Amino acid sequence: GDVYKRQVFTQSGLDDTATGTVVTINSADYEFTDLPYNVWADEGLTFTYSYQDVVLSSTAGKRFKLVGVSGPTSPFTVTGPVTVTGNYKIQYQVTFDQTGLDSSATGTVVTFNGTPLDYGCLPVSQWLNEGTTVTYSYESIVSSTTQGKRFSLSSVTGPTSPFTVDGPKTIIGNYLTQYY
């Protein structure tokens, strides 16, 4: 008789906000609610699969990033029971922006995790792993290319630096125009 082997495709790190395809197995798409997907397969059958690099979330500013797959690499031939797991990390969108500056603003406005950003770079959004520590500082004075004009930081809206990424965040440096 035929030997049947149980093949399991599953995931770690996703939650019930995950939307869309998580894994494609032999050209069929499977979503979070379909997993774990169990199939009994004849010995010698070949499985081809791929996990999505990014799985979207129904929560704005949240997504899941593939950090690795455990189990046999695709494609593989059934020789016994196998479990394949796509491992995901939660990422949140962190956005830096400003108010009060205009196109005459010159030089660094905000330094984010060691990277200086000028007026032309803002707003900037980046996907960061949950639990990441973010440090930033807005310049207290931003120069202007217009003679006798500068911008002074009046306040910062959002979490103070440093903060730990535990959800989507927007940080805004609010500037006032000063004239000499």
Side-chain angles (χ1 to χ4, degrees), residues 9-175:
F9 293 85
T10 189
Q11 57 77 29
S12 72
L14 299 180
D15 62 32
D16 61 7
T17 68
T19 60
T21 299
V22 174
V23 60
T24 303
I25 306 163
N26 293 347
S27 303
D29 292 342
Y30 297 88
E31 299 189 0
F32 174 77
T33 51
D34 302 321
L35 302 177
Y37 173 69
N38 296 282
V39 58
W40 293 91
D42 290 340
E43 197 157 6
L45 189 74
T46 299
F47 279 91
T48 304
Y49 71 86
S50 68
Y51 282 86
Q52 294 295 312
D53 185 50
V54 170
V55 174
L56 300 179
S57 169
S58 56
T59 302
K62 177 181 179 180
R63 74 178 190 181
F64 305 92
K65 176 79 171 150
L66 186 67
V67 291
V69 177
S70 56
T73 55
S74 178
F76 69 89
T77 302
V78 174
T79 57
V82 158
T83 299
V84 181
T85 306
N87 301 297
Y88 288 87
K89 266 198 163 132
I90 295 173
Q91 292 187 324
Y92 291 107
Q93 195 167 36
V94 175
T95 301
F96 286 90
D97 205 353
Q98 57 76 30
T99 62
L101 298 180
D102 62 34
S103 58
S104 75
T106 183
T108 300
V109 175
V110 61
T111 301
F112 154 52
N113 283 357
T115 304
L117 302 169
D118 62 22
Y119 173 82
C121 295
L122 299 174
V124 66
S125 293
Q126 196 165 359
W127 290 100
L128 297 173
N129 291 340
E130 182 179 43
T132 301
T133 299
V134 172
T135 58
Y136 72 87
S137 63
Y138 279 88
E139 297 298 317
S140 55
I141 299 294
V142 173
S143 300
S144 169
T145 55
T146 304
Q147 186 76 29
K149 177 181 177 181
R150 70 179 192 175
F151 304 96
S152 176
L153 184 66
S154 61
S155 67
V156 175
T157 307
T160 55
S161 179
F163 67 90
T164 300
V165 176
D166 61 359
K169 303 283 186 219
T170 300
I171 302 95
I172 301 171
N174 302 295
Y175 287 87

